[in-house]
Short mmCIF file of all heavy atoms in Angstrom, two decimals:
data_model
loop_
_atom_site.label_atom_id
_atom_site.label_comp_id
_atom_site.label_asym_id
_atom_site.label_seq_id
_atom_site.Cartn_x
_atom_site.Cartn_y
_atom_site.Cartn_z
N SER L 8 128.09 77.55 141.53
CA SER L 8 128.36 76.14 141.22
C SER L 8 129.20 75.51 142.31
O SER L 8 129.99 76.23 142.97
CB SER L 8 129.02 76.02 139.86
OG SER L 8 130.25 76.71 139.83
N GLN L 9 129.05 74.24 142.49
CA GLN L 9 129.80 73.50 143.47
C GLN L 9 130.37 72.24 142.83
O GLN L 9 129.74 71.61 141.99
CB GLN L 9 128.95 73.07 144.67
CG GLN L 9 128.66 74.18 145.66
CD GLN L 9 127.89 73.69 146.87
OE1 GLN L 9 126.83 74.19 147.19
NE2 GLN L 9 128.44 72.71 147.57
N LYS L 10 131.58 71.89 143.29
CA LYS L 10 132.20 70.63 142.85
C LYS L 10 132.82 69.93 144.03
O LYS L 10 133.45 70.60 144.85
CB LYS L 10 133.28 70.91 141.79
CG LYS L 10 132.75 71.29 140.45
CD LYS L 10 133.81 71.20 139.35
CE LYS L 10 134.95 72.19 139.52
NZ LYS L 10 135.84 72.21 138.34
N PRO L 11 132.72 68.62 144.17
CA PRO L 11 131.88 67.74 143.35
C PRO L 11 130.41 67.85 143.74
O PRO L 11 130.09 68.46 144.74
CB PRO L 11 132.43 66.35 143.69
CG PRO L 11 132.84 66.49 145.12
CD PRO L 11 133.39 67.89 145.25
N SER L 12 129.55 67.30 142.90
CA SER L 12 128.13 67.30 143.24
C SER L 12 127.80 66.23 144.26
O SER L 12 126.88 66.37 145.06
CB SER L 12 127.28 67.10 141.98
OG SER L 12 127.63 65.88 141.34
N ARG L 13 128.58 65.16 144.23
CA ARG L 13 128.43 64.10 145.20
C ARG L 13 129.74 63.30 145.28
O ARG L 13 130.52 63.32 144.33
CB ARG L 13 127.27 63.18 144.88
CG ARG L 13 127.34 62.50 143.52
CD ARG L 13 126.15 61.56 143.34
NE ARG L 13 124.90 62.30 143.34
CZ ARG L 13 123.83 61.89 144.01
NH1 ARG L 13 123.86 60.80 144.76
NH2 ARG L 13 122.70 62.58 143.95
N ASP L 14 129.92 62.65 146.41
CA ASP L 14 131.10 61.80 146.55
C ASP L 14 130.87 60.77 147.64
O ASP L 14 130.07 61.02 148.58
CB ASP L 14 132.34 62.63 146.88
CG ASP L 14 133.63 61.98 146.40
OD1 ASP L 14 133.60 60.74 146.15
OD2 ASP L 14 134.66 62.68 146.26
N ILE L 15 131.51 59.65 147.50
CA ILE L 15 131.50 58.61 148.52
C ILE L 15 132.93 58.47 148.99
O ILE L 15 133.81 58.21 148.17
CB ILE L 15 130.94 57.27 147.99
CG1 ILE L 15 129.51 57.47 147.48
CG2 ILE L 15 130.99 56.21 149.07
CD1 ILE L 15 128.94 56.26 146.77
N CYS L 16 133.17 58.64 150.28
CA CYS L 16 134.54 58.66 150.80
C CYS L 16 134.66 57.65 151.95
O CYS L 16 133.69 57.34 152.63
CB CYS L 16 134.88 60.06 151.31
SG CYS L 16 134.77 61.35 150.05
N GLN L 17 135.89 57.23 152.16
CA GLN L 17 136.15 56.32 153.27
C GLN L 17 136.43 57.12 154.53
O GLN L 17 137.00 58.23 154.47
CB GLN L 17 137.33 55.42 152.94
CG GLN L 17 137.02 54.40 151.84
CD GLN L 17 138.11 53.33 151.75
OE1 GLN L 17 139.27 53.59 152.11
NE2 GLN L 17 137.75 52.16 151.24
N ARG L 18 136.08 56.58 155.65
CA ARG L 18 136.36 57.22 156.91
C ARG L 18 137.85 57.45 157.07
O ARG L 18 138.67 56.68 156.61
CB ARG L 18 135.80 56.44 158.09
CG ARG L 18 136.53 55.15 158.42
CD ARG L 18 136.04 54.57 159.74
NE ARG L 18 134.65 54.13 159.63
CZ ARG L 18 133.81 54.13 160.66
NH1 ARG L 18 134.22 54.59 161.85
NH2 ARG L 18 132.59 53.69 160.54
N GLY L 19 138.17 58.57 157.71
CA GLY L 19 139.57 58.93 157.95
C GLY L 19 140.18 59.78 156.85
O GLY L 19 141.26 60.35 157.06
N THR L 20 139.50 59.87 155.71
CA THR L 20 140.02 60.67 154.60
C THR L 20 139.44 62.08 154.66
O THR L 20 138.60 62.37 155.53
CB THR L 20 139.73 60.02 153.25
OG1 THR L 20 138.30 59.97 153.08
CG2 THR L 20 140.29 58.62 153.18
N SER L 21 139.86 62.93 153.74
CA SER L 21 139.36 64.31 153.68
C SER L 21 138.83 64.59 152.28
O SER L 21 139.28 64.01 151.29
CB SER L 21 140.50 65.31 154.01
OG SER L 21 140.97 65.13 155.32
N LEU L 22 137.88 65.50 152.21
CA LEU L 22 137.32 65.94 150.92
C LEU L 22 137.25 67.45 150.89
O LEU L 22 136.80 68.08 151.86
CB LEU L 22 135.90 65.36 150.76
CG LEU L 22 135.16 65.81 149.50
CD1 LEU L 22 135.80 65.15 148.27
CD2 LEU L 22 133.67 65.50 149.56
#
Side-chain angles (χ1 to χ4, degrees):
Chain L
S8 60
Q9 283 185 236
K10 286 195 295 188
S12 58
R13 59 177 63 225
D14 207 340
I15 300 173
C16 301
Q17 290 192 335
R18 71 171 67 209
T20 62
S21 298
L22 176 72

